[in-house]
Amino acid sequence: MAGSMEAVAMDCEMVGLGPSQQSGLARCSLVDAQGSVLYDKFIRPEGEITNYRTQVSGITPQHMERATPFTVARMEVLQLLRGKLVVGHDLKHDFEALKEDMNKYSIYDTATDRLLWRAANLQGCKRVSLRVLSERLLRKSIQNSLSGHSSVEDARAAMELYQLSRKIRR
């Protein structure tokens, strides 16, 4: 874990594109170590949206009316991530949606931190959700809105879990 590097937490929401409903980036949020929003935009993905996945993503057709085009948003996000430790949960999906190789970045992923899982008494699990980690370790309830997830809330939770993980390791 890169302790001296500035950390930025990222969470993305996706919609389904085309007949195969391949995931397309529709919102990206970045927060700093204090939870302040550095970036939060709705993004118009490349391709035809065939499923807004509103129940999970919170994305609606109205969000797409003034959304930032994917190519513009991608450049903005990658610029903000450059040289930073990228914090998040199951980040491979976010980087796939950004069409970016995550191996170019320093990463801290709550989905793979087994020490965090142990602290939450979840070491026997194959996968652990951000919601469960947040409930068990932060005593916070997230992802419970009927209107879908908030990528800002999820990025903040990931950042708090990263900070907790650093304390556990001291």
Side-chain angles (χ1 to χ4, degrees):
M1 206 179 317
S4 62
M5 198 176 240
E6 184 183 348
V8 174
M10 175 171 68
D11 188 70
C12 298
E13 298 299 337
M14 276 65 104
V15 293
L17 302 176
S20 65
Q21 295 199 18
Q22 178 182 351
S23 288
L25 184 63
R27 184 179 181 186
C28 184
S29 301
L30 304 175
V31 301
D32 67 13
Q34 291 72 43
S36 298
V37 175
L38 301 173
Y39 188 91
D40 182 32
K41 289 188 180 180
F42 291 98
I43 299 162
R44 191 176 331 105
E46 297 174 320
E48 179 192 359
I49 299 173
T50 53
N51 185 346
Y52 284 89
R53 303 175 183 169
T54 304
Q55 193 171 1
V56 174
S57 72
I59 306 296
T60 65
Q62 292 75 26
H63 291 125
M64 293 296 107
E65 288 173 7
R66 290 202 164 126
T68 303
F70 174 79
T71 53
V72 173
R74 180 179 184 274
M75 286 188 341
E76 293 171 344
V77 170
L78 297 181
Q79 180 67 36
L80 290 166
L81 296 181
R82 193 167 293 126
K84 310 279 192 325
L85 172 68
V86 183
V87 172
H89 186 83
D90 223 359
L91 283 166
K92 67 182 177 212
H93 300 293
D94 296 342
F95 277 98
E96 284 172 7
L98 280 165
K99 298 182 181 179
E100 183 70 354
D101 179 4
M102 72 186 277
N103 293 317
K104 295 179 185 176
Y105 298 85
S106 295
I107 299 291
Y108 168 78
D109 199 322
T110 59
T112 58
D113 185 345
R114 298 293 179 158
L115 194 59
L116 207 56
W117 293 24
R118 190 174 324 135
N121 199 25
L122 296 166
Q123 59 269 35
C125 298
K126 290 184 186 201
R127 294 189 67 207
V128 176
S129 70
L130 182 63
R131 182 182 56 79
V132 170
L133 286 171
S134 295
E135 286 173 0
R136 296 236 180 146
L137 297 173
L138 305 175
R139 305 285 183 242
K140 289 187 176 180
S141 179
I142 65 168
Q143 300 178 345
N144 56 6
S145 169
L146 295 176
S147 58
H149 295 186
S150 163
S151 50
V152 171
E153 177 182 62
D154 290 358
R156 285 179 175 147
M159 181 60 80
E160 286 184 59
L161 289 165
Y162 162 67
Q163 292 166 341
L164 177 63
S165 179
R166 288 190 61 193
K167 286 178 188 166
I168 292 169
R169 286 175 161 77
R170 285 188 194 141

